[in-house]
Amino acid sequence: MTPDAAMRTREPLPLTAVTIDDRFWTPRRELIRTRTLRQQERQMRRPGQQFDALTLTWRPGDPHEPHIFWESDVAKWIEAASHCLATADDPDLDRAVDEAIELLAGAQQDDGYLNVYFTVVKPGQRFTDLRDAHELYCAGHLIEAGVAHFEATGKTRLLDIVRRYADLIDTVFSPDGPCAGGYDGHQEIELALVKLYRATGERRYLDLSRRLIEWRGQQPYYFELEFQRRGTPGYFGTTLPRRPEATRRFREYNQSHQPVADQAEVVGHSVRAMYMYSAMTDLADEYGDDRLLQAVQRLWANLTTKKLYITGGMGSDPSIEGFGPAYDLPDAHGYAETCASIGLVQWAQRMSNLTGHGHYIDTLERALYNGVLSGASADGTHYFYGNPLASGGTVARQEWFDCACCPPNLARLISELGRYVYAQGPNEAVINLYVAGTGRFTLTGGEVTLRQDTRYPREGHLAVTVTPAGDEAEFTLAIRIPGWSRQPAITVNGEPVHQPILRDGYLTLSRRWRAGDLVEIDLGLEVRRTWAHPAVASAAGKVALERGPVVFCLEGVDHDGAVHNLALPRDVPIRAVPDERTGVVTLHADATADTTAGDQLYVSHSPGRRSTALTAVPYFSWANRGLSDMTVWIRDGGPSAAPAPTAPASEHGESPDGRS
Amino acid sequence: MTPDAAMRTREPLPLTAVTIDDRFWTPRRELIRTRTLRQQERQMRRPGQQFDALTLTWRPGDPHEPHIFWESDVAKWIEAASHCLATADDPDLDRAVDEAIELLAGAQQDDGYLNVYFTVVKPGQRFTDLRDAHELYCAGHLIEAGVAHFEATGKTRLLDIVRRYADLIDTVFSPDGPCAGGYDGHQEIELALVKLYRATGERRYLDLSRRLIEWRGQQPYYFELEFQRRGTPGYFGTTLPRRPEATRRFREYNQSHQPVADQAEVVGHSVRAMYMYSAMTDLADEYGDDRLLQAVQRLWANLTTKKLYITGGMGSDPSIEGFGPAYDLPDAHGYAETCASIGLVQWAQRMSNLTGHGHYIDTLERALYNGVLSGASADGTHYFYGNPLASGGTVARQEWFDCACCPPNLARLISELGRYVYAQGPNEAVINLYVAGTGRFTLTGGEVTLRQDTRYPREGHLAVTVTPAGDEAEFTLAIRIPGWSRQPAITVNGEPVHQPILRDGYLTLSRRWRAGDLVEIDLGLEVRRTWAHPAVASAAGKVALERGPVVFCLEGVDHDGAVHNLALPRDVPIRAVPDERTGVVTLHADATADTTAGDQLYVSHSPGRRSTALTAVPYFSWANRGLSDMTVWIRDGGPSAAPAPTAPASEHGESPDGRS
């Protein structure tokens, strides 16, 4: 198989071809550019932190020993800033990025090597702790930053730096190089190398990516050989496990337990998994590799039917920041790292563009509007690392982390949003996300601009105006219809489309388009009650509320008591009310709450109930009003709306007409 | 205040005055003596483990560096074995104990000091890391062992050893000694010194205990002075925290955040708390100290109304093995260390004997029959450290732990059971626990033997036969009536007692008793549905089953699906069925289970329901039949018993007659 066999049906529009002018997203993106990136830069410029480390002046015995993954923080920040610079004129940010790039240039060694930790802390030990020391992971993020900076600004300074580094890695990891058979413990470079190949046309980067993916999980296991060779513990004090169960976990942790093309269950560290599956999808595409395609399809099915939170979060086992068994999705005590949801967004886009299926974008939206957005505070300066689905009121976002992977990762995704809104096939203009603004397509039928007008996700109406470069153009317009939209109302130039062609999750309109042609869609944004598979313990007897792509939650601050005491009857109407200032929609319903009966912990009579007003807020907005308890899964009150406020033995189960 | 002011109303019978001949307890106690203690001895005799360490032959660089708390394992094992030897003739065990004692004798230094770690690993650093190194904690367990061995066997060898050590500690911790103002990070020695005082009559041990308790929490904080003095991290790498919140946790962790007599909320490490409250109760008693009494009463109320699991477990925060906020009682992700429930049993007995109130014994039984007994497997050789109230099927007991505090602690409690069954006041014979066997009382009215016949907790009937030493004796017989017993039926010599005197939780019968007088009580062991305070999130919308002192749970192995899918209607009868071989009672009822509807994780229709047979087993017996999911809190199905197997939108809330 060769790269010429690329099987993808679509590819994203470049950032420079997209504008975003959206009530929901534009303020969030401006916040990233004007506050978040500045706050992150300040964090990394503190004495002894990321920027200082790049000066290579640290010496043994000095405080602030450089962390192994600090380059990745800087790189993700540069990448996020570059995405901003692709569409925004921001000389200050441009200058700050250039300054950071010069620091990286100064830290690069003569042979192209670029890693602070193995230059000043552990010189002479390059590529000897691939499992734990994040060396190629950092390289991957540097490469992504180089590509993004080049694509956004046209400058080649960072791209040249990372190419020299990638060339060195290509030699070290060549089939007869010193690290033949090896790969990184934290996948990331694999997808980065595909980007580098696409930006430069240099085939050897793609082949290197493929080697790293193909070597992974082969026997004898590289990481075990590495331990034996080195004879000392890994970076985090890791040693080779002895018990078979521990060995299995040791291998699964970074998805190196079996050849990746044979894998069928999502296991181990979630972020590593998402990055690896993304690279596998890219390689399936570039090489037309059916085995890889089948693998990622299997893994996708396993993830989405067994191990994905309703918020698009994943990873139920905090001890490995990763996956537990099937259906193991604890609400308050799970993990759901922001970075993992970001990784899912990246993977989902690749799956959709490769296969042409819209349902991947449904999952992308689930992650984007919930598990990703919840990762940052409304003011853009505080972050969640884990995003639990319930809280006892002790969880708050933090300003920074020792392992600061999530904050710049979130910044780069939101600032890169334009790449997720549209896609194009040979003669097909695709709208994946409802985001007001424009996309400029280069199709075989000519150049075309689409303009979206929408107040999504507040409202479900979308207007698409078509503007061909010439008078008209013949092409297919594909607009994704989310799976939850039951009966979308569609018009073209005001005429109802009674029998729309819905294919693979897309409304498909093939015609000769003229300037000003207008497609309108009303998705119908009803509030949806959603239940989990009965095997999910944390959701048993409970219901979640969704509206469009937004998952809702209850916060204690809106209720006169703990949120777990609220029960939502099945037959009460739920009103969606937008906040006129922020556009954020909240939900309101009549519900019941358990009442306390004295001071005893355990009693022989069931709790009483009272009527109460239930308010649900978008999950992405939680924890912005002080410490408060929270739950996504709401107790399912059954069909009865009539509470029995005083009779403790009969508070459940009244029939709707009040008989019992 | 002086020790002469002792305020206790009752004290336990010595082990030598009690026999146990009980269908429930005797097999468990024999298992401890014949299997558990042997298995624990084998663990500690492994090369490089506890027994080897006591030879003091370890040298820096050798493998198996002695742990800081290994003496406590040996001491608890000796104490447990001693309790067995008080009533059982077991020459092998006697010999093994004597051998261990000689190892301790050999490890004792000339000045009486006895701690392996600070003799061979960190010589010259005695009493410099009181917060973390468990030095006085180990001393306390050695003292308890010395007292128990003396009381059981009359031998003074170990008692003499620990007295010499206690004398040294008394000097070091004298008001003008080098450690004046200090105390241990893990309370334990305080209650041990009270025992040593009671066994020897040496007042200075009691005064030392009081000093340690009174110094605790005074400012400036001793542990912070200690860190500053030492200038290096504590044993576990602990350093002085800087943030105020961390400082508060640092102090609360070992209950040294404020003077103990001022404390009102149970916080920090649960086992340390239980041992400290026990010592405070002892000291309140011995010194007639009302402030201490009020403190332990406040703390008791806080524990039992805010922070106690229904199983008598406690400690919801695994990161500190200790207490979280009020009502924070997560089921699957809590802690509930076996040792903490053991500590509660010890404290509850002291509270009851000090105040004469029976409700403390209700809590003692809750802990004993549930959170303590669940700590060991049915075969007596595998242990739980934490005892969660729910499990996804991944939790199993282990044969041993690096920190092996729980296994010998459980052994010593069960082997010491006789001390908890009875108590005596000046002219009052008290039955606290229903355990078949005899207790010999020495009352002002003469010597009296009570014989209990009962199949408790399988059945609720108790027969007490009175045998005075002479023909008759005038005294008060007080038999505890558990709070859950609604209308106990009482007869004396076959005559119903229609208006029994129930005082402070005891049936009180004052009369001239003759040999053969027979008191019979039927407690009425109905199955009880129990609800938690609405503030307990993990129990919201759920119900627990109890019968007598036993809390029940559902295990997956008894059900054709996950236990969280079962819902128990309120109005179905629950049948209690004893196993004829083991006597263990299981509960059976008609319930409903959610049914799966396809492969999707999240759907827009509620799950269906089917009828199913529910089987509940005693919590103490769980995890004895392989890995299986489990829950104590069962979904409360409301009043309807009629499932609606096919109508997904109406599975809840039918009225009892089937209308909806």
Side-chain angles (χ1 to χ4, degrees), chain B residues 177-218:
Chain B
C179 287
Y183 40 89
D184 203 74
H186 197 314
Q187 301 93 316
E188 152 60 31
I189 194 171
E190 300 84 354
L191 73 85
L193 287 166
V194 177
K195 286 189 176 180
L196 188 59
Y197 155 68
R198 289 174 179 166
T200 62
E202 279 285 359
R203 161 84 181 267
R204 68 177 185 284
Y205 299 133
L206 188 66
D207 288 340
L208 172 57
S209 172
R210 189 156 194 240
R211 281 202 302 281
L212 296 175
I213 285 288
E214 291 204 329
W215 284 341
R216 194 173 203 92
Q218 302 294 342

Side-chain angles (χ1 to χ4, degrees), chain A residues 304-305 308-310 333 530-535 537 564-565 570 595-596 599 601-603 605-606 639 652-653 659, chain B residues 304-306 308-310 333 530-535 537 564-565 570 595-596 601-603 605-606 639 651-653 659:
Chain A
T304 53
T305 65
L308 187 66
Y309 282 104
I310 191 172
H333 295 87
T530 301
W531 287 265
H533 190 286
H564 61 260
N565 282 330
R570 290 233 183 108
T595 54
T596 53
D599 202 29
L601 254 184
Y602 304 108
V603 295
H605 52 85
S606 60
H652 280 301
R659 295 173 302 175
Chain B
T304 53
T305 65
K306 302 287 188 295
L308 187 66
Y309 282 103
I310 192 172
H333 295 88
T530 301
W531 287 265
H533 189 285
H564 61 259
N565 283 329
R570 291 235 181 106
T595 55
T596 52
L601 253 185
Y602 304 109
V603 295
H605 52 85
S606 60
E651 72 263 33
H652 280 300
R659 295 172 301 175

Side-chain angles (χ1 to χ4, degrees), chain A residues 171-414:
Chain A
T171 309
V172 173
F173 287 80
S174 69
D176 49 7
C179 288
Y183 39 90
D184 202 75
H186 196 314
Q187 302 92 315
E188 152 61 30
I189 194 170
E190 300 84 355
L191 73 86
L193 287 166
V194 177
K195 286 189 176 181
L196 188 60
Y197 155 68
R198 289 176 179 167
T200 64
E202 279 286 359
R203 162 83 182 268
R204 68 176 186 282
Y205 302 132
L206 188 66
D207 288 340
L208 171 57
S209 172
R210 189 156 193 239
R211 284 203 300 281
L212 297 175
I213 285 289
E214 291 205 328
W215 285 341
R216 196 172 201 92
Q218 303 293 342
Q219 299 190 35
Y221 294 101
Y222 188 85
F223 294 143
E224 289 157 50
L225 298 177
E226 180 185 69
F227 266 80
Q228 286 155 9
R229 216 152 40 207
R230 203 178 56 232
T232 56
Y235 180 77
F236 295 104
T238 329
T239 53
L240 270 185
R242 271 173 257 173
R243 290 177 302 115
E245 167 62 20
T247 299
R248 188 179 63 77
R249 284 174 62 95
F250 180 87
R251 292 173 184 158
E252 286 185 353
Y253 173 64
N254 47 38
Q255 295 85 31
S256 65
H257 54 298
Q258 66 182 142
V260 299
D262 297 338
Q263 296 187 16
E265 185 183 359
V266 298
V267 295
H269 190 275
S270 313
V271 181
R272 298 171 202 229
M274 292 302 109
Y275 290 179
M276 181 175 86
Y277 306 153
S278 295
M280 288 164 67
T281 311
D282 283 340
L283 293 169
D285 173 8
E286 294 290 351
Y287 287 91
D289 186 333
D290 265 330
R291 279 194 66 218
L292 276 182
L293 174 62
Q294 287 165 26
V296 289
Q297 286 175 326
R298 274 197 312 271
L299 291 162
W300 180 274
N302 181 254
L303 171 68
T304 53
T305 65
K306 301 288 190 297
K307 302 194 179 186
L308 187 66
Y309 282 104
I310 191 172
T311 55
M314 73 204 77
S316 59
D317 184 348
S319 73
I320 58 166
E321 300 185 327
F323 295 102
Y327 302 114
D328 177 43
L329 295 165
D331 52 359
H333 295 87
Y335 201 67
E337 183 178 341
T338 306
C339 281
S341 293
I342 291 170
L344 176 58
V345 167
Q346 298 175 350
W347 183 29
Q349 181 192 36
R350 287 166 167 82
M351 292 297 287
S352 176
N353 283 340
L354 179 57
T355 64
H357 275 276
H359 73 84
Y360 294 107
I361 308 295
D362 288 5
T363 299
L364 187 159
E365 273 201 326
R366 185 180 285 292
L368 177 63
Y369 282 95
N370 303 291
V372 172
L373 272 190
S374 68
S377 59
D379 68 1
T381 60
H382 289 72
Y383 310 95
F384 275 139
Y385 198 108
N387 295 271
L389 271 71
S391 158
T394 55
V395 177
R397 293 185 183 83
Q398 294 178 44
E399 211 173 343
W400 202 243
F401 308 92
D402 284 339
C403 173
C405 53
C406 298
N409 214 4
L410 193 138
R412 75 182 179 130
L413 180 69
I414 306 301

Side-chain angles (χ1 to χ4, degrees), chain B residues 212-483:
Chain B
L212 296 175
I213 285 288
E214 291 204 329
W215 284 341
R216 194 173 203 92
Q218 302 294 342
Q219 298 190 33
Y221 294 102
Y222 187 85
F223 293 143
E224 290 157 49
L225 297 177
E226 179 185 70
F227 267 79
Q228 286 156 9
R229 217 151 40 208
R230 202 178 57 232
T232 56
Y235 179 77
F236 294 103
T238 329
T239 53
L240 269 186
R242 269 172 259 174
R243 289 178 300 115
E245 167 62 21
T247 299
R248 187 179 65 75
R249 284 175 63 95
F250 179 87
R251 292 173 184 156
E252 286 184 354
Y253 174 63
N254 48 38
Q255 296 84 31
S256 66
H257 54 298
Q258 66 181 142
V260 299
D262 297 337
Q263 296 187 16
E265 185 182 0
V266 298
V267 294
H269 189 276
S270 312
V271 181
R272 298 171 202 228
M274 292 301 109
Y275 289 179
M276 180 175 87
Y277 305 154
S278 295
M280 287 164 67
T281 311
D282 283 340
L283 293 169
D285 173 7
E286 294 290 351
Y287 288 91
D289 187 334
D290 263 331
R291 280 193 66 218
L292 276 182
L293 174 62
Q294 286 164 25
V296 290
Q297 284 174 327
R298 273 196 312 272
L299 292 162
W300 181 273
N302 180 254
L303 171 68
T304 53
T305 65
K306 302 287 188 295
K307 302 196 180 186
L308 187 66
Y309 282 103
I310 192 172
T311 55
M314 75 202 77
S316 58
D317 184 348
S319 73
I320 57 165
E321 301 185 326
F323 296 103
Y327 301 115
D328 178 42
L329 295 165
D331 53 359
H333 295 88
Y335 201 68
E337 182 178 341
T338 306
C339 281
S341 293
I342 292 170
L344 176 58
V345 167
Q346 298 175 351
W347 183 28
Q349 181 192 36
R350 287 167 168 83
M351 292 298 285
S352 176
N353 283 340
L354 179 56
T355 64
H357 274 277
H359 73 84
Y360 294 107
I361 308 296
D362 288 4
T363 298
L364 186 158
E365 272 200 327
R366 185 179 285 292
L368 177 64
Y369 282 94
N370 303 290
V372 171
L373 273 189
S374 68
S377 61
D379 68 1
T381 60
H382 290 72
Y383 310 96
F384 275 140
Y385 197 107
N387 295 271
L389 270 71
S391 158
T394 56
V395 177
R397 292 185 184 83
Q398 295 178 43
E399 212 174 343
W400 201 242
F401 308 91
D402 285 339
C403 174
C405 53
C406 297
N409 213 5
L410 194 139
R412 75 183 178 128
L413 180 69
I414 306 301
S415 58
E416 197 191 9
L417 182 71
R419 282 179 67 87
Y420 295 90
V421 179
Y422 304 100
Q424 60 184 359
N427 199 31
E428 182 186 45
V430 182
I431 294 178
N432 275 322
L433 301 181
Y434 309 112
V435 177
T438 64
R440 198 175 65 250
F441 299 78
T442 307
L443 308 174
T444 53
E447 190 163 285
V448 176
T449 298
L450 298 181
R451 164 146 199 95
Q452 292 191 62
D453 288 293
T454 182
R455 297 183 80 173
Y456 192 82
R458 170 178 167 172
E459 294 168 14
H461 183 266
L462 171 71
V464 179
T465 310
V466 182
T467 309
D471 287 344
E472 55 178 43
E474 187 167 353
F475 65 93
T476 298
L477 173 58
I479 303 175
R480 179 178 142 264
I481 305 295

